[in-house]
Amino acid sequence: MAGLVGYGSSEEDEALNTKRKDTSFDERNVIDGNGKGTGQTPMGAEILKIPLVGPQAPPMRISDSDVGSSTPLSPYNSNRLAVRNLTLPTFPNLDIPSSPPGSPPSEMTQKFDNFLQLKKQGIHFNEKLADSSALKNPMLLQKLTASAGLAENDQYATALPINLWDPTGFPDWAYKEGLAKSQQHIAEERKAESTRTQRERLDFVPAGGNESLVHAHGLASAVETKQSRAGRCSKLSLPVIRKSGMNHFPQAWGRPRDDVYGAYDSSYLHSNAPKAHTSSPTVTGTSVLAVKFKDGVVIAADNLASYGSLARFTDVKRLRIFNQRTVVGFGGDVSDMQYLDRLLLSLDLEENYSSSGHDLNAQNLHTYLAKVMYKRRSDINPLWNQLLVAGLDSEDQPFLSSVDLLGTTFSSPTLATGFGAHLAQPLLRKVVGDEANVKSVTREQAVNAVKECMKVLFYRDARSLDKYSIAVITKESGVELKENEQLEGQSWAFAEMIKGYGTQTI
């Protein structure tokens, strides 16, 4: 305590003490272990003459009667009060302390700046998570814990001692698996009970040969009816019990009864054939077009997904944004497109939470997708898609490349999938012939060329639609995506000149 009594204030506090002393505070406000006033003025008892910041407690004034009639404090309370009075600072400092040296990390600051920039553009990370189909997976918790290397019982872990809380000390019936087995056992018992008491049919055959049917509620009630009528039915033969061979419970739907014909054999439903993969896509999307210009890339695809030859789904978006620098266009099977979309979403989340400070550009993403497609092809389970990856490379130059279901890749200033490779490519090559011509093509020229090609595809391709999505990727504006564009200026006058569709009369 001697060290605490000799506590000295800092130079700053000493400068303030010359201005803020006030002797109006009662000197008997320090109470010793016997509840008596010591007559000493506690440290920090001076009332400040300057405005104070933060919550303040009013001065405590103790009268003579209170001191004389106070109840003696316990040694614990006396020591605690003495320590509090001796160690309380004279002037409370409620300011937020400054950050330690080297914080926050520059990589983390860059990521927050990126999130704020996306928020200004109307792209909210929480909305992206909420719309994610991966987060709606009921097995998400198990997958996340497995990815983090946590065991199932780790979710019940705590900092309490083992004698107060033991997460591994519960019996088997306390877990969900044991509860599920108990519920299943109870359901089976109830089903067996209902089967024993279900309605049965009793046929009484009289001596004259005419049959009369008597319906009873269960086998027990039928036997009681037989015994009660034994005297009156002495001339009748014994009742012949004929059990119904069908189970009429709603959940059985007329299936043969287990207690009569044995358990239902469903083995014929199981096939021992080898596992089969998709050999022909069912719901598909048609052409995807893309062209470079001097500041970026333009990419477009219509919003139709065809079920065979039926234009079934007219609002399927086949352009996906990745990392605000890349757009992936999907042609081919829609279900495989959804799988790749979930794969890219997982990669995007991993990159957003990474602290490496490096972002994947369009060239990196194209390499990743090429590896994925080639791996699935090597497993004899290909993804039936052809992808166009458009965006900016590591040097912020326009990048455009393609990868197909075999993992084959190639690049060009103009690319197209599906029927667009035959109908749109010649028109796009008139605008951008080779890489040398890219520097002379403006954004307006590239957008107009893509729109004209979408119109030609709607004229000539039966699997296309007049509603499409178009995206422009530049260094200054990032990705500008419009998903519900409509073709304009359509003219079908050329159809009158087409010959060859059946017998023609000239």
Side-chain angles (χ1 to χ4, degrees):
M1 287 299 176
L4 295 176
V5 172
Y7 170 80
S9 61
S10 63
E11 295 179 359
E12 181 180 359
D13 292 336
E14 291 177 354
L16 292 174
N17 287 339
T18 60
K19 301 180 182 180
R20 63 188 183 187
K21 286 190 176 181
D22 189 355
T23 58
S24 63
F25 193 87
D26 196 335
E27 294 181 349
R28 293 169 295 176
N29 59 353
V30 176
I31 301 175
D32 59 8
N34 297 323
K36 304 293 185 177
T38 61
Q40 299 177 359
T41 302
M43 296 185 64
E46 299 86 353
I47 300 177
L48 302 180
K49 295 297 185 179
I50 61 176
L52 299 182
V53 180
Q56 301 290 327
M60 181 179 64
R61 301 188 179 276
I62 304 175
S63 63
D64 296 336
S65 60
D66 294 336
V67 175
S69 61
S70 60
T71 303
L73 301 177
S74 65
Y76 172 76
N77 292 334
S78 300
N79 294 336
R80 187 174 181 182
L81 182 60
V83 171
R84 178 181 180 277
N85 291 332
L86 292 172
T87 59
L88 189 68
T90 58
F91 183 75
N93 183 11
L94 303 179
D95 296 338
I96 300 176
S98 59
S99 301
S103 64
S106 58
E107 297 84 1
M108 191 61 63
T109 303
Q110 183 180 0
K111 282 196 170 295
F112 274 103
D113 294 339
N114 186 27
F115 280 127
L116 293 176
Q117 187 67 23
L118 295 178
K119 187 176 181 180
K120 292 180 181 179
Q121 299 176 7
I123 300 172
H124 300 281
F125 189 67
N126 290 338
E127 293 180 359
K128 191 173 183 180
L129 290 177
D131 296 336
S132 170
S133 58
L135 294 182
K136 299 176 183 178
N137 186 355
M139 300 298 293
L140 178 63
L141 177 60
Q142 288 81 349
K143 290 186 176 181
L144 290 178
T145 54
S147 176
L150 300 176
E152 185 175 1
N153 290 332
D154 289 343
Q155 60 181 316
Y156 308 110
T158 178
L160 296 175
I162 197 69
N163 57 345
L164 295 179
W165 174 258
D166 184 10
T168 61
F170 292 98
D172 294 338
W173 52 263
Y175 293 94
K176 60 180 181 180
E177 293 81 5
L179 293 175
K181 290 181 180 179
S182 301
Q183 292 177 353
Q184 183 179 4
H185 180 67
I186 294 173
E188 291 176 354
E189 288 183 347
R190 290 179 178 177
K191 183 177 180 181
E193 182 66 22
S194 62
T195 303
R196 287 194 298 268
T197 59
Q198 67 181 345
R199 181 174 297 176
E200 297 181 345
R201 187 178 66 182
L202 296 177
D203 295 346
F204 290 89
V205 183
N210 294 326
E211 296 184 356
S212 62
L213 302 180
V214 180
H215 297 277
H217 299 282
L219 180 59
S221 60
V223 174
E224 292 176 359
T225 304
K226 179 194 70 172
Q227 293 175 351
S228 64
R229 297 182 180 180
R232 292 179 294 170
C233 300
S234 58
K235 295 183 180 181
L236 299 178
S237 63
L238 292 177
V240 179
I241 301 175
R242 297 179 181 175
K243 295 183 178 180
S244 175
M246 304 303 291
N247 189 345
H248 296 287
F249 283 97
Q251 63 269 23
W253 289 97
R255 187 169 54 82
R257 287 174 38 169
D258 294 345
D259 57 341
V260 177
Y261 296 100
Y264 189 71
D265 184 15
S266 60
S267 60
Y268 72 95
L269 296 175
H270 303 287
S271 175
N272 295 325
K275 184 177 180 180
H277 300 302
T278 303
S279 58
S280 179
T282 303
V283 180
T284 59
T286 182
S287 306
V288 182
L289 312 179
V291 59
K292 291 182 182 179
F293 61 96
K294 63 179 181 179
D295 297 322
V297 186
V298 179
I299 185 171
D302 62 36
N303 298 344
L304 178 66
S306 302
Y307 181 74
S309 59
L310 175 65
R312 177 64 181 85
F313 306 101
T314 59
D315 193 25
V316 178
K317 310 299 190 301
R318 296 189 292 122
L319 298 183
R320 294 290 187 271
I321 300 177
F322 184 87
N323 207 13
Q324 291 302 308
R325 300 183 62 187
T326 308
V327 174
V328 181
F330 297 87
D333 189 52
V334 173
S335 61
D336 288 344
M337 177 193 75
Q338 294 171 341
Y339 167 78
L340 287 171
D341 186 28
R342 292 193 297 269
L343 195 64
L344 292 177
L345 177 60
S346 301
L347 181 63
D348 194 12
L349 294 177
E350 182 179 353
E351 287 297 315
N352 286 330
Y353 281 109
S354 174
S355 60
S356 62
H358 301 284
D359 296 331
L360 293 180
N361 53 51
Q363 189 174 7
N364 302 140
L365 185 62
H366 175 260
T367 303
Y368 172 78
L369 291 174
K371 301 297 183 182
V372 171
M373 302 294 281
Y374 183 77
K375 192 266 180 186
R376 290 293 297 264
R377 172 255 187 184
S378 301
D379 293 339
I380 320 299
N381 185 21
L383 297 172
W384 292 78
N385 297 104
Q386 185 172 2
L387 313 177
L388 295 187
V389 181
L392 304 176
D393 58 14
S394 58
E395 299 178 356
D396 292 331
Q397 296 298 318
F399 177 86
L400 177 60
S401 191
S402 170
V403 56
D404 61 9
L405 78 165
L406 300 178
T408 306
T409 63
F410 56 93
S411 300
S412 176
T414 61
L415 288 175
T417 70
F419 253 84
H422 308 284
L423 300 178
Q425 273 284 45
L427 301 178
L428 294 176
R429 286 170 178 165
K430 289 182 179 180
V431 179
V432 184
D434 52 21
E435 290 288 348
N437 296 335
V438 172
K439 298 296 183 180
S440 60
V441 178
T442 63
R443 170 174 174 163
E444 291 73 16
Q445 291 175 334
V447 171
N448 293 335
V450 169
K451 289 184 177 180
E452 189 66 25
C453 290
M454 296 300 296
K455 188 185 300 184
V456 172
L457 288 175
F458 181 59
Y459 290 156
R460 298 288 184 174
D461 187 2
R463 306 293 181 267
S464 62
L465 192 67
D466 59 345
K467 187 170 65 174
Y468 64 96
S469 303
I470 185 170
V472 181
I473 308 99
T474 59
K475 178 181 178 181
E476 293 76 13
S477 304
V479 177
E480 302 176 24
L481 176 62
K482 300 178 181 179
E483 293 186 328
N484 292 296
E485 293 293 291
Q486 191 76 24
L487 290 179
E488 299 176 354
Q490 301 180 31
S491 175
W492 294 90
F494 69 92
E496 299 178 357
M497 305 172 57
I498 297 178
K499 305 298 181 181
Y501 297 98
T503 303
Q504 302 292 322
T505 302
I506 302 177

